[in-house]
Amino acid sequence: ELKVEQNPLFLSMQEGKNYTIYCNYSTTSDRLYWYRQDPGKSLESLFVLLSNGAVKQEGRLMASLDTKARLSTLHITAAVHDLSATYFCAPRTSGSRLTFGEGTQLTVNP
Amino acid sequence: DTEVTQTPKHLVMGMTNKKSLKCEQHMGHRAMYWYKQKAKKPPELMFVYSYEKLSINESVPSRFSPECPNSSLLNLHLHALQPEDSALYLCASSQGALWPRVDVGYTFGSGTRLTVV
């Protein structure tokens, strides 16, 4: 059974600071997704990482994937309040299953 | 059209009621999914339909009954639910597991917030 661990689960940071969210998973996966969820809302797709060494950037967010280490990171650069949300990683496994991590609740304070 | 549309957005039902959740997409996607999300928890996969056939049932209780009438529609029929079934039910679609190199992402609907009383 695939286990997905995210850390930290809660992150409170100041505007302008940098931080990294980590996502470890226990079995082989062919790709990994990052999603954002605002309270009471659905999931917004941020990144899909398709191969080992993949790196994608969008604005202040950058995601990377190391399939050998079974590790993905989501790096936040110069955080702003609008980034406050819950972030989920989700490796894909057989049958197109997405297994979500517990989520990282990010709060960016002025 | 790049959306997955779910109806209703909110549903309150009694434990003896029968209701249905509806999901629709017109992106030509051939895989559709139901996820359940409890408050402050990650989404959990319930069912996967691939080419209109049920391919995955994650040991979901029979009081939840999925149906895929055609490639654009996915229903979730609800009967004799329990209060602990109250959650956000998310539908998603993707191009299909047969095209792994093309299947870039999953599109999620806005969800149905279900309350069982």
Side-chain angles (χ1 to χ4, degrees):
Chain A
E1 180 188 337
L2 174 63
K3 292 194 186 318
V4 184
E5 292 184 354
Q6 277 183 244
N7 70 82
L9 298 183
F10 299 93
L11 176 55
S12 181
M13 54 192 297
Q14 283 190 307
E15 280 190 331
K17 299 292 188 184
N18 304 331
Y19 209 83
T20 300
I21 299 169
Y22 296 88
C23 173
N24 286 92
Y25 53 98
S26 61
T27 65
T28 301
S29 169
D30 67 342
R31 64 196 60 192
L32 187 137
Y33 297 82
W34 282 97
Y35 288 92
R36 168 183 170 144
Q37 189 174 39
D38 292 291
K41 303 291 186 181
S42 186
L43 296 165
E44 175 190 351
S45 178
L46 295 175
F47 302 107
V48 53
L49 302 167
L50 297 175
S51 60
N52 188 41
V55 176
K56 289 201 173 176
Q57 182 162 5
E58 181 74 32
R60 300 175 189 275
L61 301 177
M62 183 173 71
S64 67
L65 178 63
D66 181 342
T67 57
K68 292 178 183 175
R70 295 178 186 162
L71 170 68
S72 181
T73 63
L74 181 67
H75 186 73
I76 302 156
T77 302
V80 292
H81 179 70
D82 284 353
L83 290 179
S84 297
T86 298
Y87 293 85
F88 293 99
C89 67
R92 190 182 88 155
T93 54
S94 63
S96 292
R97 282 180 176 85
L98 286 185
T99 301
F100 287 82
E102 286 294 311
T104 296
Q105 187 175 321
L106 171 65
T107 303
V108 181
N109 303 303
Chain B
D1 187 353
T2 57
E3 289 186 347
V4 172
T5 303
Q6 288 188 245
T7 55
K9 292 198 182 309
H10 300 274
L11 178 62
V12 179
M13 62 185 289
M15 289 189 282
T16 58
N17 291 158
K18 286 185 183 181
K19 296 285 185 184
S20 296
L21 309 185
K22 182 179 171 182
C23 173
E24 195 167 2
Q25 58 87 14
H26 296 287
M27 295 177 280
H29 288 177
R30 302 310 299 270
M32 296 185 77
Y33 312 81
W34 282 114
Y35 283 83
K36 173 182 177 178
Q37 187 178 23
K38 301 278 280 183
K40 306 285 189 187
K41 291 294 185 182
E44 294 180 342
L45 182 64
M46 300 175 72
F47 302 104
V48 179
Y49 272 84
S50 179
Y51 287 81
E52 296 145 58
K53 287 187 169 40
L54 182 65
S55 59
I56 294 176
N57 176 344
E58 294 286 48
S59 302
V60 178
S62 60
R63 57 186 184 267
F64 295 91
S65 176
E67 178 196 21
C68 189
N70 60 57
S71 59
S72 300
L73 279 175
L74 185 66
N75 299 319
L76 186 63
H77 303 298
L78 314 172
H79 174 54
L81 294 193
Q82 303 296 311
E84 58 263 31
D85 296 321
S86 299
L88 180 68
Y89 288 83
L90 294 164
C91 174
S93 70
S94 68
Q95 280 191 294
L98 293 183
W99 298 306
R101 299 306 298 173
V102 182
D103 192 359
V104 177
Y106 298 73
T107 304
F108 280 84
S110 57
T112 294
R113 189 160 298 282
L114 174 67
T115 303
V116 182
V117 298

